Every structure is written in C-alpha cells, then in structure tokens.
Amino acid sequence: MAFGQVVIGPPGSGKTTYCNGMSQFLSLIGRKVAVINLDPANDALPYDCAVNIEDLIKLSDVMNEHSLGPNGGLVYCMDYLEKNIDWLQSKLEPLLKDHYLLFDFPGQVELFFLHSNAKNVIMKLIKKLNLRLTAVHLVDAHLCSDPGKYVSALLLTLSTMLHLELPHINVLSKIDLIESYGKLAFNLDFYTDVQDLSYLQHQLDQDPRAAKYRKLTKELCDVVQDFSLDKESVGNLVKLIDRTNGYIFAGMESSAVEFSKIAVRPVDWDYYRYPYCC
C-alpha cells in the first residue's frame, strides 16, 4: 500500500509550484517523496521527477503528427497513457515500498470533470497498485476578488470532486498575491470556509450583467453549499490529506471503533509520529 496526492487545477493555478514546494516540505518532515509528472506539456520542471510522461509521449509531437491543438492534444495524450497504463505501472512499482507519491497532472479542466481518461488512469493505478490517493484541487486566489468567478470556481471544484470520486481537498493558491487583486468584499475565512454564499448576492447585484441572473446564481450557490468543500494550508493541509487517504492509519493495529475515533478528531496530530514512508 502506498499513499499520495493527485494534484489538479486550471492552467496557471500553481500545480507544478505546489508539487515542488510540497515535495520539499515532506522531505523536511522525513518522508521519501517521488513526484510523477503526467503533464506532457510541462517541459520546464523545477523538481526532479521520478517518472516523466514525456518519456512515453510528448504533446508537441502529438500536435504536429495529428494536426491537433493543445486541448485536443492533451486529451489524446491522456487516452494514450490510459492505453499504456502498464508503462506507468512498471515505473511506479519500484517506488511503492517507501515513497510518498505526488502526481502532477495537466491543467486542462475538461480532463477531470468531462472526459474519463484521466479518471480511468487514476482508478486503474489505485486498483493495480493498491494506492490511497487524495485529489488536491488548486484554485487561484485571485478568483476571490470577483464574486461571479468565485462561484464558478466552486462549481468547477464540486463537479471535479463528483466526477473523480476521490477524497478531495480544495486549496487557494497564490494567496501571497491576493492583496494585489484589490480589497476583498469579506474576510479570507469567508472564502476558505465557503461560508453563507447568500452574502455574495449583494455583491453580484452591483454588476448589471449579473443582476438578471440573480435567481440562477442563488440556485447555484445552494448547490455548492449542499456539499462540504475543505481548504487548509501547508502543515494542516498535509495532516488533512493524511487523514483522507488513510496515511495516518498505516501500520496501526486497532479496532474499527478506534479508527473511527481517530478519523473524527481535530486535525492536530504530529505528522512526525507517522513515518510510514520514511
């Protein structure tokens, strides 16, 4: 059994930067980490990847050979990877014993809520290699500065969560730049906790383009609030991911009742106490 994260999000949301920073953080707390680049368009990697999809297929070659654009090319690449899943499996098998896995996926959002290729790849790996994975969905913090874009981002993350059927955590990325986007209508906690979205109605009503969609917006906000979407940050984020993919239970001998008690506790354990992947 091995544990890891499936890192997804729109283009430019910071997935590769996240994988680079998260791998450094996990290394500092004593975990052996392997980053797997599954983005065939990512040719400027800041980290050393243990597995690189470009050794199997390159987006530029696909676009030239099949006269496809970047979006069609990425769909083709994911389809090709699914059909050659044995290649990826053989690359991952040597890492399973003692590595924590970070999967850096492409940024084309259609791959994760519309097409099935990426999901099929993930599910086949889970089944064949006995993986415990959590989806980490990055959302650019600048979307908080626009109520309409923020609601759209919530709908995207919700659709992706339902499509992938994995433990799912949403993370506001580039939070250090949020002040440069202008003053937020509410405190940051409002956006990270997805608090009462009815308060956004007044903000949206100020925009004449959005006012006529008031009823639709309210219904969409109600849909989002019917689901619980979590976001945390670095240390607490790691702890939350560890709980969702079961990392903290690895190597423990206890009853189902005790596991349940641990699962519902606050996210306050010491991650140094769980060196399963060291």
Side-chain angles (χ1 to χ4, degrees):
M1 182 186 299
F3 300 86
Q5 304 175 29
V6 173
V7 183
I8 58 177
S13 58
K15 296 179 296 299
T16 297
T17 301
Y18 172 90
C19 287
N20 186 35
M22 181 59 72
S23 65
Q24 294 179 36
F25 179 83
L26 292 172
S27 296
L28 286 174
I29 64 174
R31 298 187 195 178
K32 294 180 69 174
V33 183
V35 185
I36 297 92
N37 175 46
L38 296 183
D39 183 356
N42 197 350
D43 54 4
L45 299 173
Y47 52 75
D48 294 326
C49 56
V51 183
N52 193 341
I53 192 177
E54 288 203 338
D55 294 335
L56 175 69
I57 189 170
K58 293 184 178 181
L59 178 62
S60 57
D61 293 342
V62 169
M63 292 171 62
N64 292 330
E65 183 175 347
H66 300 283
S67 299
L68 294 171
N71 290 343
L74 282 171
V75 173
Y76 183 98
C77 289
M78 283 296 106
D79 182 63
Y80 190 83
L81 177 61
E82 181 187 355
K83 292 178 179 177
N84 291 273
I85 195 67
D86 291 343
W87 173 85
L88 182 56
Q89 181 180 347
S90 66
K91 295 287 187 180
L92 292 175
E93 284 174 344
L95 305 172
L96 300 181
K97 183 178 180 180
D98 57 357
H99 282 76
Y100 187 95
L101 308 177
L102 295 175
F103 292 90
D104 189 358
F105 270 88
Q108 187 185 8
V109 295
E110 297 94 324
L111 293 173
F112 303 100
F113 78 90
L114 185 60
H115 298 290
S116 62
N117 304 110
K119 177 183 177 179
N120 291 342
V121 167
I122 296 168
M123 292 305 168
K124 287 180 179 180
L125 292 178
I126 289 174
K127 183 176 180 180
K128 288 174 176 286
L129 303 178
N130 194 23
L131 302 183
R132 297 292 183 269
L133 302 176
T134 291
V136 178
H137 194 145
L138 301 189
V139 178
D140 197 317
H142 90 271
L143 298 176
C144 296
S145 63
D146 185 310
K149 292 180 180 178
Y150 176 67
V151 173
S152 297
L154 293 179
L155 288 172
L156 173 62
T157 57
L158 177 57
S159 299
T160 303
M161 179 181 72
L162 296 176
H163 181 71
L164 289 182
E165 298 181 297
L166 289 174
H168 192 102
I169 298 172
N170 300 300
V171 180
L172 285 178
S173 62
K174 305 181 182 179
I175 200 69
D176 55 317
L177 301 176
I178 197 167
E179 291 184 355
S180 65
Y181 305 131
K183 183 177 176 59
L184 298 179
F186 305 100
N187 292 335
L188 188 59
D189 287 349
F190 175 88
Y191 302 95
T192 58
D193 296 339
V194 192
Q195 295 174 9
D196 190 350
L197 296 181
S198 63
Y199 289 109
L200 287 177
Q201 285 294 132
H202 175 71
Q203 299 296 320
L204 288 166
D205 289 346
Q206 306 307 306
D207 184 347
R209 296 170 299 177
K212 63 180 180 179
Y213 301 113
R214 183 182 297 109
K215 185 176 180 180
L216 173 62
T217 301
K218 181 182 183 304
E219 294 299 324
L220 292 176
C221 290
D222 288 344
V223 169
V224 171
Q225 289 196 254
D226 283 341
F227 292 84
S228 177
L229 304 180
D230 301 312
K231 298 99 185 160
E232 297 289 342
S233 164
V234 191
N236 284 335
L237 175 61
V238 172
K239 297 175 184 180
L240 190 58
I241 292 170
D242 287 350
R243 184 164 65 183
T244 59
N245 64 21
Y247 178 89
I248 64 166
F249 305 114
M252 294 176 60
E253 295 183 2
S254 188
S255 67
V257 173
E258 290 302 315
F259 283 147
S260 299
K261 290 180 179 178
I262 295 172
V264 299
R265 287 176 187 166
V267 188
D268 59 357
W269 63 79
D270 182 358
Y271 33 62
Y272 292 98
R273 292 178 54 204
Y274 302 93
Y276 179 74
C277 291
C278 296

